[in-house]
Amino acid sequence: MIQKPKGTADILPGQVEIWQYIESTAREILHNYRFFEIRTPMFESFELFSRGVGETTDVITKEMYDFYDKGDRHIALKPEGTAPIARAFVENKLYAPEEVKPYKVYYMGPMFRYERPQSGRQRQFNQLGVEVFGGENAATDVETIALAIDILQALGVSNYKLVINSLGSEESRQTYRQALIDYLEPYYDQLSEDSQTRLHQNPLRVLDSKDPKDIEIVEGAPSILDALSEDSKERFQLVQELLTRLKIPFEIDANMVRGLDYYQETIFEIMTDAKDFGAQSTIVGGGNYDGLVNELSDGKQSVPGFGFAIGIERLILLMQAQGVDLPESHPLDVYVVNFGEEASKYATQITQRVRHAGFSCDRDFFDRKAKKQFKEADKLGADLVITIGDQEITDNQIQVKNMSSGKQESFSFEDLTADFSKIYEKMK
Ligand code: HAM
């Protein structure tokens, strides 16, 4: 039997409702913040990610789903949304003077990373992300962080914490990078294997190693916050001040770095401290990427960027762990119980008319016993049940029953199929 690939999931009816609820709740908030949806291809050139996300990141070195297509192009399924959207921003000249500024977009959809699957970590997973181009200052950082929090709150999620840090500008990061290497080198032999590899390739990643020995060594490392330029310090101060004004609690973690190389200045993560949530506790990750558009436009455009992505699978795990209530979805207005060949034909007509009048409607197809059909109507939560058999056809008196009040009335076939909303009103 063929099974789905490792690290993927089928989202079945009964489960998909929570996805739709998240999507519609988020869309409403996003539109209030004046973000508009963007959709980019599922696959891109591999080079977009190696240049955009960073040659030495795990995402590029270990986790890409890449292949050569029949035209020998090096293609990759997208592991994340920011680089593709920055590419679309440059390619479609969305920086042009006549475009809205800042340019604010959101996206929802699958991303692909060849990771070791576990709860909250898949090879095909979904993100709800936003990107702001041309926002320029700390107010954009804070507004966007506040948006992430508004979405979580609207979904009823609690028990999360916001953690922020600043990576400073490209230049100050280079200086800090060297200071960090100088500090870590004497400990080389004691570092974990991963951190040894990262030491010269991507030393900042050593800071957020989960290895206990690495953590101990890192404790004495110089802080990135001390290496910030005056401008970056000011910006980070302002971010903190604005968060405080909005009464958004936060923690600063100077060792937090993100797994993708395009970040500068303000970065943030929202994680849960809910117990039993396992290792995959980061629900939202994001930050500032002022150099990305420059990189992808070959130095021709310099537009700052800020964004985040929420991992939807992790969000759902959290919502379920916290027992968040979902509104009832897709209620059934009408069920048509029918007996016999002739009644089945009438049922086809009635069902279609009811649907065309704007009500959700279903029917029995299997000529089941009355009890079974009513049981089914009950299971589906039908408001009204229409019953039709040979007798009803002969008398032209078709029965309609309100399932919760028990109220019953009969109508002619003509009345039932003329304007069902009148009947629905009468029977409610
Ligand atoms: P990221 O931190 O790599 O950032 O991913 C964001 C979120 O996606 C994570 O916090 C997590 O919830 C979810 N996620 C990542 N990998 C997996 C996985 N294998 N399985 C399940 N969930 C996963 C980005 O992707 C950036 N593009 C975010 C961003 C947008 N930064 C600026 N703009």
Side-chain angles (χ1 to χ4, degrees):
M1 194 180 56
I2 297 173
Q3 297 189 329
K4 62 184 176 316
K6 197 172 167 193
T8 64
D10 297 318
I11 303 164
L12 305 176
Q15 301 165 341
V16 85
E17 288 73 16
I18 192 165
W19 290 77
Q20 294 169 338
Y21 173 59
I22 290 170
E23 288 162 10
S24 58
T25 306
R27 270 206 169 88
E28 207 169 296
I29 299 171
L30 286 158
H31 292 154
N32 285 348
Y33 274 79
R34 308 289 296 162
F35 278 76
F36 296 98
E37 187 169 2
I38 185 167
R39 299 185 188 193
T40 62
M42 211 49 74
F43 59 85
E44 296 270 358
S45 71
F46 177 86
E47 194 194 346
L48 170 66
F49 301 107
S50 59
R51 272 175 65 183
V53 171
E55 212 89 62
T56 61
T57 56
D58 285 355
V59 169
I60 300 302
T61 56
K62 300 183 187 158
E63 297 168 3
M64 291 296 269
Y65 272 96
D66 62 319
F67 58 95
Y68 287 86
D69 72 4
K70 291 184 176 24
D72 212 27
R73 301 173 193 90
H74 195 180
I75 297 292
L77 300 187
K78 60 178 166 190
E80 62 100 49
T82 311
I85 289 166
R87 179 210 40 78
F89 181 79
V90 172
E91 193 170 337
N92 295 288
K93 300 192 172 53
L94 301 175
Y95 48 75
E98 65 273 19
E99 299 287 353
V100 190
K101 288 187 182 40
Y103 199 86
K104 303 195 283 191
V105 289
Y106 74 88
Y107 52 97
M108 302 178 186
M111 309 287 161
F112 307 86
R113 295 184 195 176
Y114 192 81
E115 292 197 82
R116 199 166 45 77
Q118 58 185 78
S119 169
R121 192 161 74 196
Q122 294 181 185
R123 292 184 172 167
Q124 176 175 331
F125 60 98
N126 288 270
Q127 288 186 342
L128 189 173
V130 313
E131 313 295 347
V132 181
F133 294 95
E136 208 87 73
N137 52 33
T140 301
D141 302 3
V142 170
E143 236 190 67
T144 315
I145 294 173
L147 165 60
I149 286 175
D150 276 358
I151 292 174
L152 296 186
Q153 281 191 345
L155 292 169
V157 174
S158 53
N159 267 359
Y160 55 79
K161 65 175 178 190
L162 166 66
V163 181
I164 60 171
N165 191 20
S166 174
L167 299 176
S169 64
E170 188 62 40
E171 301 81 66
S172 69
R173 201 154 55 134
Q174 288 310 325
T175 322
Y176 176 69
R177 189 177 183 276
Q178 194 50 52
L180 189 60
I181 294 176
D182 293 345
Y183 167 81
L184 290 172
E185 257 173 349
Y187 297 103
Y188 183 83
D189 292 337
Q190 297 161 48
L191 287 171
S192 67
E193 217 175 292
D194 265 350
S195 291
Q196 287 180 345
T197 324
R198 283 175 176 152
L199 178 58
H200 288 281
Q201 285 188 339
N202 204 344
L204 267 69
R205 288 307 308 274
V206 178
L207 292 176
D208 72 351
S209 163
K210 303 288 173 276
D211 180 279
K213 188 81 190 113
D214 291 350
I215 292 176
E216 218 175 279
I217 296 169
V218 158
E219 263 172 26
S223 164
I224 195 162
L225 295 176
D226 294 332
L228 298 183
S229 69
E230 279 313 307
D231 280 355
S232 299
K233 269 187 194 153
E234 241 171 64
R235 177 181 180 144
F236 195 48
Q237 273 302 329
L238 188 52
V239 165
Q240 294 171 52
E241 185 195 329
L242 290 173
L243 285 172
T244 308
R245 279 182 181 237
L246 293 182
K247 300 192 169 51
I248 297 175
F250 61 89
E251 285 174 23
I252 298 172
D253 178 355
N255 286 339
M256 182 176 76
V257 293
R258 307 258 311 121
L260 313 165
D261 271 359
Y262 48 62
Y263 290 110
Q264 310 178 14
E265 306 289 350
T266 317
I267 55 168
F268 78 101
E269 288 189 356
I270 301 177
M271 27 241 198
T272 168
D273 36 25
K275 285 201 184 65
D276 306 327
F277 203 67
Q280 310 307 316
S281 62
T282 303
I283 313 293
V284 187
N288 182 261
Y289 48 87
D290 285 355
L292 186 59
V293 167
N294 192 53
E295 169 67 34
L296 297 179
S297 64
D298 300 321
K300 293 196 184 75
Q301 299 297 328
S302 186
V303 180
F306 193 96
F308 65 76
I310 303 177
I312 303 192
E313 283 79 2
R314 289 187 197 175
L315 174 64
I316 290 175
L317 283 174
L318 184 60
M319 288 168 72
Q320 285 167 342
Q322 296 183 345
V324 167
D325 280 336
L326 295 183
E328 192 198 348
S329 56
H330 313 310
L332 179 61
D333 299 320
V334 181
Y335 191 80
V336 183
V337 167
N338 61 99
F339 311 105
E341 244 174 70
E342 195 53 26
S344 173
K345 293 177 191 166
Y346 277 82
T348 300
Q349 286 176 280
I350 293 170
T351 305
Q352 287 303 95
R353 289 298 299 169
V354 171
R355 288 173 181 158
H356 293 167
F359 297 91
S360 64
C361 183
D362 234 328
R363 56 164 290 189
D364 180 83
F365 282 106
F366 312 107
D367 210 10
R368 288 180 284 193
K369 296 223 161 56
K371 213 170 147 191
K372 273 248 162 88
Q373 292 196 36
F374 269 93
K375 219 170 156 186
E376 180 88 348
D378 207 37
K379 193 171 109 194
L380 297 171
D383 280 348
L384 302 185
V385 170
I386 298 176
T387 305
I388 179 162
D390 290 341
Q391 194 61 49
E392 283 79 4
I393 297 169
T394 314
D395 300 347
N396 198 13
Q397 285 292 302
I398 298 168
Q399 213 191 80
V400 180
K401 180 176 179 186
N402 181 317
M403 293 294 274
S404 43
S405 68
K407 175 177 164 187
Q408 293 198 45
E409 231 175 280
S410 294
F411 298 90
S412 70
F413 176 74
E414 292 70 28
D415 280 349
L416 261 188
T417 50
D419 180 1
F420 190 75
S421 53
K422 283 196 187 128
I423 305 229
Y424 192 84
E425 239 356 271
K426 198 159 178 222
M427 292 305 296
K428 270 307 273 185

